[in-house]
Every structure is written in structure tokens, then in C-alpha cells.
Amino acid sequence: LIKFSNKQYDKALQDFQLGIELAENLENYRLKFSVNTNIGLVYDRLDMLEESIIYFRKSLDKANELGFPYTKAITHLNLSAAYQKSNEPTLAFLHADSSYHLFIQQNYLQHIAKPCIIKVVSYLTKGDFDQALTLIDSAIYYSKLNENLDDVLESYKLKSKIYRKMELFEEALETYMMYSETKD
């Protein structure tokens, strides 16, 4: 994890691959879940999205075996982000909805804006600006509720982008100014 944090992705990947072998030998499902998730994150950072999805799907299998709602929700969130980046909005929607419902069901509200943000980007990909505009306000609300500055900033930036796509330039500028002021 230190190598991953230091952006030494190749070295981190080697360590995580070794971790997979150890987890298999120990028959430790939690370790298998964690290591598969970390490998998926490494591939995500390397923009190797197909590989990332493979490992996130393995993580989902392990999360289902563990039965912990939080691990399932996080894995669905990772999958939705990977599918969104892979330009597969339908699968991004599916996994974003799954993570959203698990977060709500278990009252894990600290991550609730993220599935909304992923869905907004997917709606933008599909060219459905009205749906994106409707959903972005939920992302802003949940981001502020949880005092997650990164999500607030991302949401404002996306809302400005939606307005630009809709050719509502005055609203786009106003929202971008909110982003800029919040960032400052």
C-alpha cells in the first residue's frame, strides 16, 4: 500500500500478486477481497480498465462471500467508476445504483454522493443532459451533507459542464464561479 500511495504501481502490483498467492494458501476471503480490490485500483491508475474490471469483479465475488454490505457497496462503486471510464454507461448505472442502495440501506452516507457523480458523468456520455442536471443537485446535496470538499468541487464542475452542454452559458459561468470560490 505504501508503494501504491507513492505511485510505484509496478512494484505495488508485484506485491499484491504475491498477496493473492498468500491469500489463496491461507483461504482468507477478507484478504482475497482486499488484495483483488487493490490490484483493481492499481490497474485503474494505470488506465488498464479491462484488467481493473476483472479484479473488481473478483472483489465483488469475495464481497458476496463475505456478506458485508459495506464491502459490496464499495466494490459496486469501484465497478461503476471503471465502467464509466470505459464508456459503458449502462453498466456504470447498474453498479452505481447497487452501491447507492447498499449505502442508503446501511446508512453509510459518507460515500453517497459518489454513485450520483458517476451517474451524472454517464448521463453526460449518453447526451442526456436533463437527467444529468436533475441528478447533480443530489450529488451536491450529499457532498455538502458529508462535508466532502472533493465531491462538492467535482459536483460544481460537472454542473457547470452540463449547463455548457445545454448552452446555458450564464448558468454555467455562475456555477463555475461557485466551484472557484469553494476551491479558494
Side-chain angles (χ1 to χ4, degrees):
L1 288 173
I2 291 170
K3 291 174 184 173
F4 178 79
S5 295
N6 289 331
K7 299 180 182 180
Q8 298 171 322
Y9 299 126
D10 292 336
K11 292 178 181 179
L13 191 57
Q14 290 172 355
D15 290 346
F16 291 142
Q17 293 292 356
L18 178 60
I20 287 285
E21 292 175 30
L22 293 171
E24 291 290 332
N25 291 338
L26 296 172
E27 297 183 18
N28 186 322
Y29 291 110
R30 279 188 178 181
L31 184 57
K32 288 178 193 178
F33 166 78
S34 295
V35 175
N36 279 308
T37 298
N38 289 331
I39 292 172
L41 291 171
V42 169
Y43 282 129
D44 179 73
R45 295 303 189 288
L46 295 171
D47 286 325
M48 299 172 70
L49 298 175
E50 287 182 34
E51 291 83 355
S52 177
I53 289 169
I54 289 168
Y55 280 93
F56 287 146
R57 292 199 63 75
K58 289 180 182 184
S59 292
L60 185 58
D61 291 341
K62 299 304 173 208
N64 286 327
E65 287 177 33
L66 289 169
F68 299 141
Y70 184 77
T71 58
K72 288 188 224 180
I74 289 295
T75 305
H76 280 295
L77 185 63
N78 288 335
L79 275 166
S80 66
Y83 282 124
Q84 180 261 310
K85 288 178 186 177
S86 296
N87 203 24
E88 296 187 48
T90 302
L91 290 170
F93 288 135
L94 175 74
H95 289 284
D97 284 340
S98 294
S99 69
Y100 178 85
H101 290 295
L102 285 165
F103 286 139
I104 291 288
Q105 182 182 34
Q106 297 299 313
N107 204 28
Y108 296 131
L109 300 181
Q110 69 270 23
H111 301 297
I112 204 70
K114 292 183 186 329
C116 297
I117 291 169
I118 290 167
K119 287 180 71 172
V120 166
V121 173
S122 296
Y123 280 126
L124 281 170
T125 300
K126 291 180 90 172
D128 191 342
F129 307 130
D130 291 329
Q131 284 289 359
L133 189 59
T134 300
L135 192 57
I136 195 62
D137 288 329
S138 294
I140 292 169
Y141 171 78
Y142 288 123
S143 299
K144 287 181 176 180
L145 179 71
N146 293 299
E147 299 177 1
N148 186 323
L149 182 59
D150 290 335
D151 287 348
V152 171
L153 292 171
E154 181 68 18
S155 297
Y156 280 144
K157 219 171 14 173
L158 281 171
K159 190 168 185 176
S160 178
K161 183 175 182 177
I162 295 165
Y163 281 138
R164 280 194 320 268
K165 296 277 187 183
M166 296 175 81
E167 297 184 3
L168 299 170
F169 300 114
E170 192 172 309
E171 290 87 344
L173 178 59
E174 182 180 311
T175 305
Y176 188 81
M177 294 303 294
M178 291 170 68
Y179 160 79
S180 183
E181 288 170 11
T182 303
K183 186 175 179 184
D184 290 346

Short mmCIF file of all heavy atoms in Angstrom, two decimals, residues 141-163:
data_model
loop_
_atom_site.label_atom_id
_atom_site.label_comp_id
_atom_site.label_asym_id
_atom_site.label_seq_id
_atom_site.Cartn_x
_atom_site.Cartn_y
_atom_site.Cartn_z
N TYR A 141 -25.96 18.05 -2.85
CA TYR A 141 -26.58 17.96 -1.53
C TYR A 141 -25.82 16.97 -0.63
O TYR A 141 -25.45 17.30 0.49
CB TYR A 141 -28.05 17.53 -1.66
CG TYR A 141 -28.69 17.20 -0.35
CD1 TYR A 141 -29.12 18.22 0.52
CD2 TYR A 141 -28.86 15.88 0.06
CE1 TYR A 141 -29.69 17.92 1.74
CE2 TYR A 141 -29.43 15.58 1.28
CZ TYR A 141 -29.85 16.59 2.12
OH TYR A 141 -30.40 16.28 3.34
N TYR A 142 -25.60 15.75 -1.14
CA TYR A 142 -24.92 14.73 -0.33
C TYR A 142 -23.47 15.10 -0.05
O TYR A 142 -22.94 14.81 1.02
CB TYR A 142 -25.00 13.36 -0.99
CG TYR A 142 -26.38 12.74 -0.92
CD1 TYR A 142 -27.04 12.35 -2.08
CD2 TYR A 142 -27.02 12.53 0.29
CE1 TYR A 142 -28.29 11.77 -2.03
CE2 TYR A 142 -28.28 11.96 0.35
CZ TYR A 142 -28.91 11.57 -0.81
OH TYR A 142 -30.16 11.00 -0.75
N SER A 143 -22.82 15.75 -1.00
CA SER A 143 -21.44 16.17 -0.80
C SER A 143 -21.34 17.19 0.33
O SER A 143 -20.46 17.10 1.19
CB SER A 143 -20.88 16.81 -2.07
OG SER A 143 -20.88 15.90 -3.13
N LYS A 144 -22.26 18.14 0.33
CA LYS A 144 -22.27 19.15 1.38
C LYS A 144 -22.67 18.54 2.72
O LYS A 144 -22.10 18.89 3.76
CB LYS A 144 -23.21 20.30 1.02
CG LYS A 144 -22.67 21.18 -0.08
CD LYS A 144 -23.64 22.31 -0.38
CE LYS A 144 -23.08 23.26 -1.41
NZ LYS A 144 -24.03 24.36 -1.70
N LEU A 145 -23.65 17.65 2.69
CA LEU A 145 -24.11 17.00 3.91
C LEU A 145 -22.96 16.29 4.62
O LEU A 145 -22.84 16.34 5.84
CB LEU A 145 -25.23 16.00 3.58
CG LEU A 145 -25.81 15.22 4.75
CD1 LEU A 145 -26.64 16.12 5.65
CD2 LEU A 145 -26.66 14.07 4.22
N ASN A 146 -22.10 15.66 3.85
CA ASN A 146 -20.98 14.90 4.40
C ASN A 146 -19.69 15.70 4.45
O ASN A 146 -18.64 15.16 4.78
CB ASN A 146 -20.77 13.62 3.59
CG ASN A 146 -21.93 12.68 3.76
OD1 ASN A 146 -22.21 12.24 4.86
ND2 ASN A 146 -22.63 12.39 2.68
N GLU A 147 -19.79 16.98 4.10
CA GLU A 147 -18.63 17.87 4.13
C GLU A 147 -17.44 17.29 3.38
O GLU A 147 -16.30 17.35 3.83
CB GLU A 147 -18.26 18.21 5.57
CG GLU A 147 -19.37 18.92 6.32
CD GLU A 147 -19.06 19.19 7.77
OE1 GLU A 147 -17.96 18.85 8.24
OE2 GLU A 147 -19.93 19.76 8.45
N ASN A 148 -17.73 16.73 2.20
CA ASN A 148 -16.69 16.15 1.36
C ASN A 148 -16.33 17.17 0.28
O ASN A 148 -17.02 17.27 -0.75
CB ASN A 148 -17.17 14.84 0.75
CG ASN A 148 -16.08 14.13 -0.02
OD1 ASN A 148 -15.26 14.76 -0.68
ND2 ASN A 148 -16.08 12.81 0.06
N LEU A 149 -15.28 17.92 0.52
CA LEU A 149 -14.91 19.02 -0.37
C LEU A 149 -14.61 18.53 -1.78
O LEU A 149 -15.01 19.17 -2.76
CB LEU A 149 -13.70 19.78 0.20
CG LEU A 149 -13.24 20.98 -0.60
CD1 LEU A 149 -14.36 22.01 -0.74
CD2 LEU A 149 -12.01 21.61 0.03
N ASP A 150 -13.92 17.41 -1.92
CA ASP A 150 -13.60 16.90 -3.26
C ASP A 150 -14.87 16.62 -4.07
O ASP A 150 -14.95 16.96 -5.25
CB ASP A 150 -12.75 15.63 -3.18
CG ASP A 150 -11.35 15.90 -2.68
OD1 ASP A 150 -10.85 17.04 -2.83
OD2 ASP A 150 -10.73 14.97 -2.13
N ASP A 151 -15.86 16.02 -3.41
CA ASP A 151 -17.11 15.73 -4.11
C ASP A 151 -17.91 17.00 -4.40
O ASP A 151 -18.54 17.12 -5.45
CB ASP A 151 -17.97 14.75 -3.30
CG ASP A 151 -17.43 13.33 -3.33
OD1 ASP A 151 -16.53 13.04 -4.14
OD2 ASP A 151 -17.91 12.51 -2.52
N VAL A 152 -17.86 17.96 -3.50
CA VAL A 152 -18.54 19.25 -3.75
C VAL A 152 -17.92 19.92 -4.98
O VAL A 152 -18.65 20.36 -5.89
CB VAL A 152 -18.44 20.19 -2.53
CG1 VAL A 152 -18.94 21.59 -2.87
CG2 VAL A 152 -19.22 19.64 -1.35
N LEU A 153 -16.60 19.97 -5.02
CA LEU A 153 -15.91 20.59 -6.16
C LEU A 153 -16.22 19.86 -7.46
O LEU A 153 -16.51 20.50 -8.48
CB LEU A 153 -14.41 20.64 -5.91
CG LEU A 153 -13.95 21.59 -4.80
CD1 LEU A 153 -12.47 21.39 -4.49
CD2 LEU A 153 -14.24 23.03 -5.16
N GLU A 154 -16.14 18.54 -7.42
CA GLU A 154 -16.43 17.74 -8.62
C GLU A 154 -17.87 17.98 -9.08
O GLU A 154 -18.14 18.12 -10.28
CB GLU A 154 -16.20 16.26 -8.34
CG GLU A 154 -16.45 15.36 -9.51
CD GLU A 154 -15.45 15.51 -10.64
OE1 GLU A 154 -14.36 16.05 -10.42
OE2 GLU A 154 -15.77 15.07 -11.76
N SER A 155 -18.78 18.07 -8.14
CA SER A 155 -20.19 18.28 -8.49
C SER A 155 -20.43 19.65 -9.12
O SER A 155 -21.15 19.77 -10.12
CB SER A 155 -21.06 18.13 -7.24
OG SER A 155 -20.98 16.82 -6.73
N TYR A 156 -19.82 20.68 -8.55
CA TYR A 156 -19.96 22.01 -9.15
C TYR A 156 -19.36 22.05 -10.56
O TYR A 156 -19.93 22.65 -11.47
CB TYR A 156 -19.30 23.09 -8.29
CG TYR A 156 -20.11 23.55 -7.10
CD1 TYR A 156 -19.50 23.88 -5.91
CD2 TYR A 156 -21.49 23.70 -7.18
CE1 TYR A 156 -20.23 24.32 -4.82
CE2 TYR A 156 -22.23 24.14 -6.10
CZ TYR A 156 -21.60 24.44 -4.92
OH TYR A 156 -22.33 24.88 -3.86
N LYS A 157 -18.22 21.42 -10.72
CA LYS A 157 -17.58 21.40 -12.03
C LYS A 157 -18.48 20.69 -13.05
O LYS A 157 -18.63 21.14 -14.18
CB LYS A 157 -16.22 20.70 -11.93
CG LYS A 157 -15.17 21.35 -12.76
CD LYS A 157 -13.74 20.91 -12.62
CE LYS A 157 -13.40 19.67 -11.91
NZ LYS A 157 -11.97 19.33 -12.03
N LEU A 158 -19.06 19.56 -12.62
CA LEU A 158 -19.95 18.83 -13.52
C LEU A 158 -21.21 19.63 -13.85
O LEU A 158 -21.66 19.63 -15.00
CB LEU A 158 -20.34 17.49 -12.90
CG LEU A 158 -19.32 16.38 -12.99
CD1 LEU A 158 -19.72 15.19 -12.14
CD2 LEU A 158 -19.12 15.96 -14.44
N LYS A 159 -21.75 20.32 -12.86
CA LYS A 159 -22.96 21.11 -13.12
C LYS A 159 -22.66 22.22 -14.12
O LYS A 159 -23.46 22.48 -15.03
CB LYS A 159 -23.51 21.69 -11.81
CG LYS A 159 -24.87 22.32 -11.98
CD LYS A 159 -25.53 22.63 -10.66
CE LYS A 159 -26.95 23.13 -10.87
NZ LYS A 159 -27.64 23.37 -9.59
N SER A 160 -21.51 22.84 -14.00
CA SER A 160 -21.12 23.86 -14.96
C SER A 160 -20.99 23.25 -16.37
O SER A 160 -21.43 23.85 -17.35
CB SER A 160 -19.80 24.50 -14.53
OG SER A 160 -19.38 25.45 -15.47
N LYS A 161 -20.42 22.07 -16.43
CA LYS A 161 -20.26 21.38 -17.72
C LYS A 161 -21.62 21.05 -18.33
O LYS A 161 -21.82 21.19 -19.55
CB LYS A 161 -19.43 20.11 -17.53
CG LYS A 161 -19.15 19.36 -18.80
CD LYS A 161 -18.23 18.17 -18.54
CE LYS A 161 -17.90 17.46 -19.83
NZ LYS A 161 -16.96 16.34 -19.60
N ILE A 162 -22.55 20.60 -17.51
CA ILE A 162 -23.89 20.29 -18.00
C ILE A 162 -24.52 21.54 -18.59
O ILE A 162 -25.07 21.51 -19.70
CB ILE A 162 -24.79 19.73 -16.87
CG1 ILE A 162 -24.27 18.38 -16.37
CG2 ILE A 162 -26.24 19.59 -17.35
CD1 ILE A 162 -24.87 17.96 -15.03
N TYR A 163 -24.45 22.64 -17.87
CA TYR A 163 -25.01 23.89 -18.38
C TYR A 163 -24.36 24.31 -19.70
O TYR A 163 -25.04 24.78 -20.61
CB TYR A 163 -24.87 25.02 -17.34
CG TYR A 163 -25.89 24.98 -16.23
CD1 TYR A 163 -25.51 25.23 -14.92
CD2 TYR A 163 -27.24 24.75 -16.48
CE1 TYR A 163 -26.44 25.22 -13.89
CE2 TYR A 163 -28.17 24.74 -15.47
CZ TYR A 163 -27.78 24.97 -14.16
OH TYR A 163 -28.70 24.97 -13.16
#
